[in-house]
Amino acid sequence: MQKLKGFRDFFPEEMAERTHVFDAMRRVAKRYGFVEYDGPPLESLELYRKKSGDEIVAQLYTFKDKGGRDVALRPEMTPTLARMVATRANSLQKPIRWFSIPQLFRYERNQRGRLREHFQLNVDIIGAREVEADAELLAIGLDVQRELGLTKEDVVARVNDRRIVSGALGLLEVSEESIAATYTAIDKFRKVPDETFTELLSDAGVSDDAIEEIRKLCAGSVSVFEWFAPRLDDVDEPTRKAVADLETYLARMTEAGFEDFVEVDFSIVRGLAYYTGIVFELYDRKGKERAICGGGRYDDLVQSLGGPDLSALGFGMGDVVLSLMLRDRGLMPKAPPRSDVVVIPVGAELAVIARLITTELRRAGKRAETPYSPAGVGKDLKATGQRGIPYAVIVGPEEWAAHEVNLKDLRTGKQSRVAIDALAAEIKT
RNA sequence: GUGGGCGUAGCUCAAUGGUAGAGCACCGGGUUGUGGUCCCGGGGGUUGUGGGUUCGAGCCCCAUCGCCCACCCCA
């Protein structure tokens, strides 16, 4: 028997890594006052038909349950969140600031950084139109990186605004029919050769002059602020607001101490789906990995799913790419946490004493164990040391007669006699 | 869905078409009051699977499954 393609076993070593990452995610999200929620891993297929594109639905894990209902393993958390929020929209105090670490599934051929199953930190804010919310959202994403030991040398946040792209394309007179293909081309700017980029836009029906302007914006040879400055009188109100919002956004990121992580990047448009405002993606500065994290504002989604008109924004941060990066940087724990101490009896008649001492140590909050069948001090000590356990308590008849034991620090090799009552306090963890 | 690379012990890898091996790991012993280095021994494999060629296949051929990489797409 082998595991299914694209699924993972978590042996204790991998589980230690997973726990390490999840713990960091939870600590950070809670630090910003967000609360954790979860939903069912299995949902009605209908939930995804409504919101997600054909491509997503084609890659769902679906089946008919025994009642004949079409069901799907959740491929993303947002529809579940939207459904949950819609259910209690009127009674939930706004803004709603929730996070979750769901396991998500997709039926698709796997490749580097992409499996059929993964965990994804989802952080969402619902009912906040202020750009301060956008800034806080990105700050959480970046703070998770920092919490795990990654720095501005490792991670870059590329940020953009869908309204700005839309406004720019309007000024460049890109036609309605060309918009979708133009977004796709912009999204590919950093992944395809220059000629291909030109070809994609040209095929979409974009003029040569417009292609040149789009290229300059994507490449960053002109900042979006410089580009829009002489044109602000020609654009509509939403675009003017978007440019102003982006400036405020950057100011807020600077206030929060993240300015070195953030770069405006016109080529970040986040697929075609449902984003309506500021969007961002987190990348490894060195590697060629896919995005660590992506998100942004999706103000129309809750309503489009039949809920009330609530603005919303959020991101998803998968565990697979992030873990690849942490392993690459040596920032993952090498071994699962073990006991603090093993209590080793000298001779079989002291095994009962060793068990009693072990019980007392556990009551004192120490992670303690004693061998089921003591094999001799030498063997038990060897096994304990090999497992990386820092302390051994050796219970010998002479010492025990004085209500004392030997406490050995396996890391230094130093050993001392300790009164039984003082033992727990001597084991530093 | 398309293309490419790779499948030998738990892991890393050997083995002209001629008896399947090593290191690490694991288990036991040397050593029933003191570990990590050391010495000795042991379990482990239908060489991913199924066919074919051959006197003989881990090796050659075909198929299939799995893993990896890229493409497509991206929540």
Side-chain angles (χ1 to χ4, degrees):
Chain A
M1 289 297 290
Q2 50 191 352
K3 62 182 161 49
L4 288 171
K5 178 197 277 198
F7 287 78
R8 296 171 289 176
D9 287 330
F10 289 90
F11 285 86
E13 293 75 21
E14 287 94 43
M15 195 64 199
E17 295 184 338
R18 174 171 142 186
T19 302
H20 174 70
V21 172
F22 285 14
D23 284 354
M25 289 172 168
R26 287 201 169 90
R27 276 198 303 276
V28 172
K30 289 176 182 174
R31 200 178 290 157
Y32 283 76
F34 284 59
V35 292
E36 189 165 6
Y37 72 99
D38 199 2
L42 196 65
E43 290 271 17
S44 159
L45 177 59
E46 196 55 26
L47 183 65
Y48 304 110
R49 282 230 177 92
K50 277 184 184 163
K51 186 233 118 180
S52 309
D54 291 344
E55 183 68 30
I56 288 175
V57 173
Q59 292 177 355
L60 285 176
Y61 257 99
T62 61
F63 58 93
K64 274 193 196 301
D65 71 9
K66 291 186 179 180
R69 285 169 286 263
D70 285 312
V71 295
L73 289 170
R74 61 186 174 197
E76 57 174 327
M77 198 57 174
T78 311
T80 298
L81 172 67
R83 181 175 54 70
M84 288 171 67
V85 167
T87 304
R88 297 195 186 175
N90 294 330
S91 62
L92 291 167
Q93 193 176 50
K94 264 60 83 177
I96 297 160
R97 300 186 301 156
W98 287 2
F99 76 97
S100 189
I101 310 179
Q103 188 173 24
L104 306 177
F105 307 87
R106 68 175 124 220
Y107 193 85
E108 193 212 22
R109 198 145 165 177
N110 49 223
Q111 53 190 286
R112 184 171 176 82
R114 208 163 174 202
L115 308 169
R116 285 185 169 177
E117 149 273 319
H118 70 137
F119 292 90
Q120 191 185 63
L121 170 65
N122 274 251
V123 178
D124 290 273
I125 304 171
I126 295 174
R129 298 204 178 269
E130 302 90 337
V131 71
E132 278 69 23
D134 294 81
E136 183 160 272
L137 186 72
L138 177 55
I140 293 171
L142 287 170
D143 233 345
V144 171
Q145 311 300 306
R146 213 162 53 178
E147 184 80 2
L148 287 163
L150 297 167
T151 68
K152 60 182 160 65
E153 316 297 329
D154 300 302
V155 179
V156 58
R158 301 201 175 117
V159 308
N160 196 21
D161 192 314
R162 293 285 295 243
R163 295 168 297 173
I164 286 176
V165 177
S166 166
L169 296 184
L171 279 175
L172 294 170
E173 294 175 342
V174 175
S175 67
E176 202 60 42
E177 314 83 71
S178 309
I179 288 287
T182 303
Y183 272 77
T184 304
I186 290 173
D187 187 50
K188 288 188 178 181
F189 178 75
R190 291 183 190 285
K191 299 162 199 158
V192 301
D194 211 41
E195 316 85 76
T196 313
F197 180 68
T198 307
E199 208 176 297
L200 285 168
L201 287 171
S202 183
D203 290 354
V206 179
S207 74
D208 290 351
D209 288 349
I211 292 175
E212 210 32 60
E213 293 302 316
I214 294 169
R215 185 197 313 285
K216 282 190 335 207
L217 283 164
C218 286
S221 53
V222 56
S223 82
V224 297
F225 301 114
E226 291 163 356
W227 194 85
F228 271 101
R231 297 174 168 89
L232 278 179
D233 292 339
D234 304 330
V235 300
D236 56 9
E237 175 54 27
T239 307
R240 267 200 298 277
K241 177 160 187 344
V243 174
D245 278 353
L246 191 60
E247 269 186 306
T248 307
Y249 183 69
L250 295 177
R252 296 291 172 270
M253 294 315 295
T254 301
E255 284 173 11
F258 288 109
E259 70 271 25
D260 293 333
F261 284 88
V262 181
E263 294 174 6
V264 175
D265 186 331
F266 190 82
S267 73
I268 299 296
V269 293
R270 299 286 303 148
L272 297 173
Y274 43 69
Y275 290 100
T276 56
I278 290 175
V279 290
F280 68 89
E281 292 183 351
L282 263 46
Y283 283 92
D284 182 349
R285 277 194 199 266
K286 294 176 199 164
K288 289 183 181 160
E289 306 294 353
R290 58 187 68 249
I292 302 162
C293 170
R297 188 170 273 278
Y298 49 94
D299 279 341
D300 303 332
L301 183 67
V302 176
Q303 193 167 37
S304 78
L305 280 169
D309 180 16
L310 281 173
S311 63
L313 57 157
F315 70 72
M317 184 189 296
D319 70 315
V320 179
V321 174
L322 182 57
S323 296
L324 284 171
M325 203 172 158
L326 292 171
R327 263 178 234 122
D328 175 66
R329 303 297 201 279
L331 292 171
M332 280 292 205
K334 316 136 294 291
R338 301 281 198 185
S339 291
D340 302 316
V341 56
V342 173
V343 183
I344 299 169
V346 176
E349 58 283 0
L350 281 170
V352 59
I353 301 301
R355 285 193 292 272
L356 290 170
I357 292 171
T358 302
T359 298
E360 283 307 315
L361 287 171
R362 288 170 181 161
R363 282 189 182 141
K366 304 299 174 188
R367 298 175 295 185
E369 58 182 282
T370 188
Y372 298 138
S373 331
V377 175
K379 284 213 182 309
D380 289 334
L381 218 42
K382 178 175 175 176
T384 303
Q386 281 178 339
R387 290 167 60 201
I389 291 169
Y391 290 101
V393 168
I394 299 153
V395 187
E398 284 172 33
E399 295 90 334
W400 185 242
H403 292 286
E404 290 181 345
V405 293
N406 284 307
L407 177 62
K408 181 159 189 161
D409 185 326
L410 282 312
R411 295 160 301 190
T412 62
K414 288 192 177 143
Q415 181 171 312
S416 56
R417 272 180 75 150
V418 177
I420 189 66
D421 294 337
L423 181 59
E426 288 296 314
I427 294 168
K428 316 277 198 282
T429 55

